[in-house]
Amino acid sequence: MVQILPMSIEGAWSFTPRLHGDDRGVFLESYRADALAEATGRTLEVAQVNTSVSAAGALRGIHFSDVPPGQAKYVSCSVGAVLDVVVDVRTGSPTFGAWDAIVLDDVDRRAVFLTEGLGHAFVSLADGSTVTYLCSTPYAPGREHGVDPLDPAVGVDWPTVGRGGQPLSITLSPKDEAAPPLARAAQDGLLPAWHPSGAPAAATAGR
């Protein structure tokens, strides 16, 4: 059975499946809706499935969506390895600006579930790292936003060495390079607001 543990950011959990291996290979249950619901109190109605393939050093994020409706994600890595990062971009949250990270790879086959309103990013630790995202809402360009993943105020400790010990050279998309720091995103009213119940509220005023 899958092991499900809360991460240090409220609204994010790690999933470690049980691997069944023999001389043919490995079998695992990579997603269980009933286990997700039992552990988190949430259900995930999958509206879109995304897949990205990344060179070593490719950094994607920090991304988040307008709330409501927001976008919950269940993220796994089927090939290679990534350092997956959850960032609390919810204004008013006790852990606003904090982050937590876990390696997702093709060895332990872990996954991460994050609820609406949280920021998400990862850096590829090997060429060809393949990440799959089960998403609760389809992509909507007007509702998608980002925060500078290199913002020192957030201070994500991005690795400099990848799988096998090779040095990593971080690369960003032009869109992610142009993303504002967290403080400016808050000033511009782009960030979702934290709700004490754990359910995200609408974006902060001033947008």
Side-chain angles (χ1 to χ4, degrees), residues 3-191:
Q3 180 188 52
I4 305 173
L5 297 174
M7 299 178 70
S8 64
I9 305 299
E10 179 192 51
W13 290 263
S14 68
F15 289 68
T16 304
R18 182 178 177 185
L19 305 182
H20 304 272
D22 57 27
D23 55 3
R24 299 170 299 165
V26 175
F27 173 84
L28 66 144
E29 296 176 344
S30 55
Y31 172 71
R32 284 279 301 263
D34 58 344
L36 175 74
E38 181 179 354
T40 70
R42 286 289 314 272
T43 57
L44 177 62
E45 182 176 343
V46 178
Q48 183 170 319
V49 179
N50 301 329
T51 300
S52 65
V53 181
S54 301
L59 199 169
R60 301 177 184 266
I62 303 166
H63 301 150
F64 63 95
S65 300
D66 281 346
V67 180
Q71 187 180 72
K73 299 176 182 177
Y74 186 89
V75 186
S76 59
C77 179
S78 58
V79 177
V82 302
L83 182 70
D84 196 82
V85 177
V86 178
V87 182
D88 194 345
V89 298
R90 303 167 299 187
T91 59
S93 168
T95 55
F96 176 72
W99 58 275
D100 198 358
I102 187 172
V103 172
L104 307 181
D105 61 20
D106 54 12
V107 177
D108 295 320
R109 307 284 181 179
R110 292 189 184 95
V112 167
F113 175 69
L114 58 153
T115 54
E116 298 88 347
L118 292 175
H120 179 254
F122 70 81
V123 63
S124 174
L125 303 177
D127 285 332
S129 294
T130 303
V131 173
T132 299
Y133 323 66
L134 310 183
C135 302
S136 64
T137 56
Y139 175 69
R143 298 200 304 263
E144 306 295 327
H145 307 286
V147 168
D148 180 4
L150 305 180
D151 181 359
V154 178
V156 176
D157 186 15
W158 297 111
T160 57
V161 177
R163 176 181 271 188
Q166 85 269 28
L168 284 184
S169 179
I170 298 295
T171 57
L172 302 173
S173 70
K175 181 178 179 180
D176 288 341
E177 284 184 337
L182 185 64
R184 179 146 54 91
Q187 290 173 355
D188 292 344
L190 295 177
L191 303 180

